[in-house]
Amino acid sequence: MGKYNESKDWADVIPIPQNDGGPNPLAAIAYSDEYREAMEYLRAVMGSNEKSERVLELTEHVISMNPAHYTVWLYRANTLFELQKQNQSDLQEDILEELHWLDGISLRHLKNYQIWHHRQTLMTHLDGLPPTEIPFLARMFAKDAKNYHVWSYRQWLVRHFSLWDTTELPYIETLLTADVRNNSAWNHRYFVLFGRDIDPSSGKGLDEVGNIVDEDLIDREVEYTKVKIRLAPQNQSPWNYLRGLLRKRGSLVECKEFAEEFVGDLEEEGRGCRSSHALDFLADCCAEEKDKEKAGQALDLLARRYDRIRRSYWNYRRGLLGLGAVEA
């Protein structure tokens, strides 16, 4: 006998067993008895479209056993909103209570994306950002500073509540001070500074369609990025960030001399080279200036010495310049 089968509260519900393909299924999933029973009752209430307090309790039970069950999360959200209409309760308070419950599950299941979709659904029904939300995200990042699902949710949060000019940049600076190689933080920095004018449907911003570029902002960010590169020249993240900044102006060449600080002597096999990413950057600068010889030298060093595992790629880049491949 199970939890629901023995309960008077569920006596009116006829459970619906899972159909795995007959009495002798080829590859039946070995569910626990507890999970099997809970799902049988969930199928029944979903089939009758019941939205009640006991359904919320049932979904909580199923989620505790399988937090990746997307359908359960969706039905729970719909039940929560329907109950608010039925009871004429304060939706804001109901959602805050749900978020508090959700916090504990999120901290236990860091890589579960269904949790974050549910959280986003709840946020769309709030009048404003709860004061506990940003501190909670800080707790999540303290456990995993590069959690893709949390970063995706935070970007949505910034856009939804227009948080562009609030706490985002100081917080990103805290993360980059702790770990300058945090690519997620670099990506979020770019999003915060340049994402507000991007049309989510097309991915294009004002600078792409109207040549509107904040030169002072670009100058500030270029200098900031140079400082971070000098801390760890072989860190790819700020080099990519620098490229993104300079492409808004249409040219990488203004930072050519900066890249040369890290590539060593090209005539001496790159002796003293401190960054393969600087070589890559320099190759693009030289190609932009139509200096195929110097661009070819940088790509040659990458293919033969500093990034041999991607030799085929560097040879492809040489081919784009009309240069021959580097032999192994």
Short mmCIF file of all heavy atoms in Angstrom, two decimals, residues 175-211:
data_model
loop_
_atom_site.label_atom_id
_atom_site.label_comp_id
_atom_site.label_asym_id
_atom_site.label_seq_id
_atom_site.Cartn_x
_atom_site.Cartn_y
_atom_site.Cartn_z
N LEU A 175 33.11 39.57 -9.43
CA LEU A 175 33.37 38.23 -9.97
C LEU A 175 34.68 38.18 -10.75
O LEU A 175 35.45 37.22 -10.64
CB LEU A 175 32.21 37.79 -10.86
CG LEU A 175 30.88 37.52 -10.17
CD1 LEU A 175 29.82 37.14 -11.20
CD2 LEU A 175 31.01 36.41 -9.12
N LEU A 176 34.94 39.21 -11.55
CA LEU A 176 36.17 39.20 -12.36
C LEU A 176 37.41 39.43 -11.50
O LEU A 176 38.50 38.96 -11.84
CB LEU A 176 36.08 40.27 -13.46
CG LEU A 176 35.07 39.96 -14.57
CD1 LEU A 176 34.99 41.12 -15.55
CD2 LEU A 176 35.45 38.68 -15.30
N THR A 177 37.25 40.14 -10.40
CA THR A 177 38.37 40.29 -9.46
C THR A 177 38.70 38.95 -8.81
O THR A 177 39.86 38.60 -8.61
CB THR A 177 38.03 41.33 -8.39
OG1 THR A 177 37.81 42.60 -9.02
CG2 THR A 177 39.17 41.47 -7.38
N ALA A 178 37.66 38.17 -8.53
CA ALA A 178 37.86 36.85 -7.92
C ALA A 178 38.41 35.86 -8.93
O ALA A 178 39.21 34.99 -8.60
CB ALA A 178 36.54 36.34 -7.34
N ASP A 179 37.96 35.97 -10.20
CA ASP A 179 38.40 35.03 -11.24
C ASP A 179 38.32 35.74 -12.59
O ASP A 179 37.26 35.80 -13.20
CB ASP A 179 37.51 33.78 -11.24
CG ASP A 179 37.91 32.79 -12.34
OD1 ASP A 179 38.98 32.97 -12.96
OD2 ASP A 179 37.15 31.83 -12.57
N VAL A 180 39.45 36.24 -13.03
CA VAL A 180 39.49 36.99 -14.29
C VAL A 180 39.19 36.10 -15.49
O VAL A 180 38.90 36.58 -16.58
CB VAL A 180 40.86 37.69 -14.45
CG1 VAL A 180 41.95 36.69 -14.83
CG2 VAL A 180 40.78 38.83 -15.46
N ARG A 181 39.21 34.79 -15.29
CA ARG A 181 38.93 33.84 -16.37
C ARG A 181 37.46 33.42 -16.44
O ARG A 181 37.12 32.51 -17.18
CB ARG A 181 39.81 32.58 -16.21
CG ARG A 181 41.30 32.86 -16.38
CD ARG A 181 42.14 31.64 -16.06
NE ARG A 181 43.55 31.87 -16.30
CZ ARG A 181 44.37 32.48 -15.47
NH1 ARG A 181 43.88 32.92 -14.30
NH2 ARG A 181 45.63 32.67 -15.76
N ASN A 182 36.63 34.09 -15.69
CA ASN A 182 35.20 33.76 -15.68
C ASN A 182 34.55 34.27 -16.97
O ASN A 182 34.09 35.41 -17.05
CB ASN A 182 34.52 34.36 -14.45
CG ASN A 182 33.09 33.90 -14.29
OD1 ASN A 182 32.45 33.47 -15.24
ND2 ASN A 182 32.57 33.98 -13.07
N ASN A 183 34.50 33.42 -17.98
CA ASN A 183 33.96 33.82 -19.27
C ASN A 183 32.50 34.25 -19.16
O ASN A 183 32.05 35.14 -19.88
CB ASN A 183 34.09 32.67 -20.27
CG ASN A 183 33.68 33.06 -21.67
OD1 ASN A 183 34.24 33.98 -22.25
ND2 ASN A 183 32.69 32.39 -22.21
N SER A 184 31.75 33.63 -18.25
CA SER A 184 30.34 33.98 -18.08
C SER A 184 30.20 35.43 -17.61
O SER A 184 29.30 36.15 -18.05
CB SER A 184 29.69 33.04 -17.07
OG SER A 184 29.73 31.70 -17.52
N ALA A 185 31.09 35.85 -16.72
CA ALA A 185 31.03 37.23 -16.22
C ALA A 185 31.40 38.22 -17.33
O ALA A 185 30.80 39.29 -17.44
CB ALA A 185 31.97 37.39 -15.03
N TRP A 186 32.39 37.85 -18.16
CA TRP A 186 32.74 38.72 -19.31
C TRP A 186 31.56 38.84 -20.26
O TRP A 186 31.25 39.93 -20.75
CB TRP A 186 33.96 38.15 -20.05
CG TRP A 186 35.27 38.42 -19.38
CD1 TRP A 186 36.03 37.53 -18.69
CD2 TRP A 186 35.96 39.67 -19.33
NE1 TRP A 186 37.17 38.15 -18.21
CE2 TRP A 186 37.15 39.47 -18.59
CE3 TRP A 186 35.70 40.95 -19.84
CZ2 TRP A 186 38.07 40.48 -18.36
CZ3 TRP A 186 36.61 41.97 -19.60
CH2 TRP A 186 37.78 41.72 -18.87
N ASN A 187 30.91 37.74 -20.53
CA ASN A 187 29.75 37.75 -21.41
C ASN A 187 28.64 38.63 -20.84
O ASN A 187 28.00 39.40 -21.57
CB ASN A 187 29.26 36.32 -21.62
CG ASN A 187 28.05 36.25 -22.54
OD1 ASN A 187 28.15 36.51 -23.72
ND2 ASN A 187 26.90 35.89 -21.98
N HIS A 188 28.41 38.51 -19.53
CA HIS A 188 27.35 39.30 -18.91
C HIS A 188 27.70 40.78 -18.91
O HIS A 188 26.82 41.63 -19.08
CB HIS A 188 27.11 38.82 -17.48
CG HIS A 188 25.85 39.36 -16.87
ND1 HIS A 188 24.60 39.08 -17.36
CD2 HIS A 188 25.66 40.20 -15.80
CE1 HIS A 188 23.68 39.69 -16.63
NE2 HIS A 188 24.30 40.39 -15.69
N ARG A 189 28.97 41.10 -18.76
CA ARG A 189 29.40 42.50 -18.80
C ARG A 189 29.05 43.12 -20.16
O ARG A 189 28.52 44.23 -20.25
CB ARG A 189 30.90 42.60 -18.55
CG ARG A 189 31.41 44.04 -18.44
CD ARG A 189 32.91 44.11 -18.18
NE ARG A 189 33.33 45.48 -17.93
CZ ARG A 189 33.42 46.04 -16.74
NH1 ARG A 189 33.12 45.32 -15.66
NH2 ARG A 189 33.80 47.30 -16.59
N TYR A 190 29.34 42.36 -21.22
CA TYR A 190 29.03 42.85 -22.56
C TYR A 190 27.51 43.03 -22.73
O TYR A 190 27.05 44.02 -23.30
CB TYR A 190 29.58 41.87 -23.60
CG TYR A 190 29.58 42.40 -25.02
CD1 TYR A 190 30.68 43.10 -25.51
CD2 TYR A 190 28.49 42.21 -25.86
CE1 TYR A 190 30.70 43.60 -26.80
CE2 TYR A 190 28.49 42.71 -27.15
CZ TYR A 190 29.60 43.39 -27.61
OH TYR A 190 29.61 43.89 -28.89
N PHE A 191 26.77 42.06 -22.21
CA PHE A 191 25.32 42.13 -22.32
C PHE A 191 24.77 43.36 -21.59
O PHE A 191 23.90 44.08 -22.11
CB PHE A 191 24.69 40.86 -21.74
CG PHE A 191 23.20 40.91 -21.62
CD1 PHE A 191 22.40 40.73 -22.73
CD2 PHE A 191 22.59 41.15 -20.39
CE1 PHE A 191 20.99 40.80 -22.63
CE2 PHE A 191 21.21 41.21 -20.28
CZ PHE A 191 20.42 41.03 -21.40
N VAL A 192 25.26 43.61 -20.38
CA VAL A 192 24.76 44.73 -19.58
C VAL A 192 25.07 46.07 -20.26
O VAL A 192 24.23 46.98 -20.28
CB VAL A 192 25.36 44.69 -18.16
CG1 VAL A 192 25.07 45.98 -17.41
CG2 VAL A 192 24.80 43.50 -17.39
N LEU A 193 26.27 46.19 -20.83
CA LEU A 193 26.68 47.45 -21.43
C LEU A 193 26.07 47.70 -22.80
O LEU A 193 25.80 48.85 -23.18
CB LEU A 193 28.21 47.51 -21.53
CG LEU A 193 28.94 47.62 -20.20
CD1 LEU A 193 30.44 47.52 -20.41
CD2 LEU A 193 28.59 48.93 -19.49
N PHE A 194 25.86 46.62 -23.55
CA PHE A 194 25.43 46.82 -24.94
C PHE A 194 24.13 46.09 -25.30
O PHE A 194 23.69 46.17 -26.44
CB PHE A 194 26.55 46.34 -25.88
CG PHE A 194 27.86 47.00 -25.63
CD1 PHE A 194 28.91 46.31 -25.03
CD2 PHE A 194 28.07 48.33 -25.97
CE1 PHE A 194 30.13 46.91 -24.79
CE2 PHE A 194 29.28 48.95 -25.74
CZ PHE A 194 30.32 48.24 -25.14
N GLY A 195 23.55 45.38 -24.34
CA GLY A 195 22.39 44.56 -24.66
C GLY A 195 21.06 45.28 -24.66
O GLY A 195 20.10 44.79 -25.26
N ARG A 196 20.97 46.44 -24.02
CA ARG A 196 19.66 47.07 -23.89
C ARG A 196 19.11 47.54 -25.24
O ARG A 196 17.90 47.63 -25.43
CB ARG A 196 19.71 48.22 -22.90
CG ARG A 196 20.30 49.51 -23.43
CD ARG A 196 20.10 50.65 -22.43
NE ARG A 196 20.97 50.50 -21.28
CZ ARG A 196 20.81 51.17 -20.16
NH1 ARG A 196 19.79 52.00 -20.02
NH2 ARG A 196 21.64 51.04 -19.15
N ASP A 197 20.00 47.84 -26.19
CA ASP A 197 19.55 48.32 -27.49
C ASP A 197 19.48 47.21 -28.53
O ASP A 197 19.27 47.48 -29.71
CB ASP A 197 20.49 49.42 -27.99
CG ASP A 197 20.47 50.65 -27.09
OD1 ASP A 197 19.37 51.00 -26.63
OD2 ASP A 197 21.53 51.24 -26.84
N ILE A 198 19.65 45.97 -28.08
CA ILE A 198 19.57 44.85 -29.01
C ILE A 198 18.13 44.37 -29.13
O ILE A 198 17.45 44.18 -28.12
CB ILE A 198 20.48 43.69 -28.55
CG1 ILE A 198 21.96 44.10 -28.67
CG2 ILE A 198 20.23 42.43 -29.37
CD1 ILE A 198 22.92 43.05 -28.16
N ASP A 199 17.69 44.21 -30.33
CA ASP A 199 16.37 43.66 -30.59
C ASP A 199 16.45 42.15 -30.43
O ASP A 199 17.12 41.48 -31.21
CB ASP A 199 15.94 44.02 -32.00
CG ASP A 199 14.58 43.42 -32.37
OD1 ASP A 199 13.97 42.75 -31.52
OD2 ASP A 199 14.15 43.62 -33.52
N PRO A 200 15.80 41.56 -29.40
CA PRO A 200 15.92 40.11 -29.18
C PRO A 200 15.49 39.27 -30.37
O PRO A 200 15.99 38.16 -30.57
CB PRO A 200 14.99 39.87 -27.97
CG PRO A 200 14.89 41.19 -27.30
CD PRO A 200 14.94 42.20 -28.41
N SER A 201 14.59 39.79 -31.20
CA SER A 201 14.10 39.00 -32.33
C SER A 201 15.10 38.92 -33.47
O SER A 201 15.18 37.92 -34.17
CB SER A 201 12.78 39.59 -32.86
OG SER A 201 12.98 40.91 -33.33
N SER A 202 15.91 40.00 -33.64
CA SER A 202 16.87 40.02 -34.74
C SER A 202 18.31 39.88 -34.28
O SER A 202 19.19 39.53 -35.06
CB SER A 202 16.73 41.32 -35.54
OG SER A 202 17.15 42.43 -34.76
N GLY A 203 18.56 40.20 -32.98
CA GLY A 203 19.92 40.16 -32.47
C GLY A 203 20.74 41.37 -32.87
O GLY A 203 21.93 41.44 -32.60
N LYS A 204 20.12 42.37 -33.50
CA LYS A 204 20.84 43.55 -33.95
C LYS A 204 20.62 44.72 -33.00
O LYS A 204 19.54 44.90 -32.44
CB LYS A 204 20.39 43.95 -35.36
CG LYS A 204 20.80 42.95 -36.44
CD LYS A 204 20.42 43.46 -37.82
CE LYS A 204 20.91 42.48 -38.89
NZ LYS A 204 20.56 42.96 -40.26
N GLY A 205 21.69 45.52 -32.84
CA GLY A 205 21.62 46.68 -31.98
C GLY A 205 21.66 47.97 -32.78
O GLY A 205 21.83 47.97 -34.00
N LEU A 206 21.53 49.10 -32.08
CA LEU A 206 21.52 50.39 -32.74
C LEU A 206 22.82 50.66 -33.48
O LEU A 206 22.83 51.28 -34.55
CB LEU A 206 21.27 51.50 -31.71
CG LEU A 206 19.88 51.53 -31.06
CD1 LEU A 206 19.80 52.67 -30.07
CD2 LEU A 206 18.80 51.66 -32.12
N ASP A 207 23.95 50.19 -32.93
CA ASP A 207 25.23 50.44 -33.58
C ASP A 207 25.33 49.72 -34.91
O ASP A 207 26.09 50.12 -35.79
CB ASP A 207 26.39 50.04 -32.66
CG ASP A 207 26.31 48.59 -32.23
OD1 ASP A 207 25.21 48.16 -31.83
OD2 ASP A 207 27.33 47.89 -32.30
N GLU A 208 24.55 48.63 -35.07
CA GLU A 208 24.59 47.87 -36.31
C GLU A 208 23.68 48.45 -37.37
O GLU A 208 23.93 48.32 -38.56
CB GLU A 208 24.21 46.41 -36.05
CG GLU A 208 25.19 45.66 -35.17
CD GLU A 208 24.73 44.25 -34.89
OE1 GLU A 208 24.00 44.07 -33.90
OE2 GLU A 208 25.09 43.35 -35.66
N VAL A 209 22.60 49.11 -36.95
CA VAL A 209 21.64 49.62 -37.92
C VAL A 209 21.69 51.12 -38.08
O VAL A 209 21.23 51.66 -39.08
CB VAL A 209 20.20 49.20 -37.52
CG1 VAL A 209 20.07 47.69 -37.54
CG2 VAL A 209 19.83 49.74 -36.15
N GLY A 210 22.29 51.83 -37.10
CA GLY A 210 22.31 53.28 -37.18
C GLY A 210 23.64 53.92 -36.88
O GLY A 210 23.74 55.14 -36.75
N ASN A 211 24.69 53.12 -36.74
CA ASN A 211 26.04 53.63 -36.47
C ASN A 211 26.09 54.50 -35.22
O ASN A 211 26.80 55.50 -35.17
CB ASN A 211 26.56 54.43 -37.68
CG ASN A 211 26.72 53.56 -38.90
OD1 ASN A 211 27.18 52.43 -38.80
ND2 ASN A 211 26.34 54.07 -40.06
#
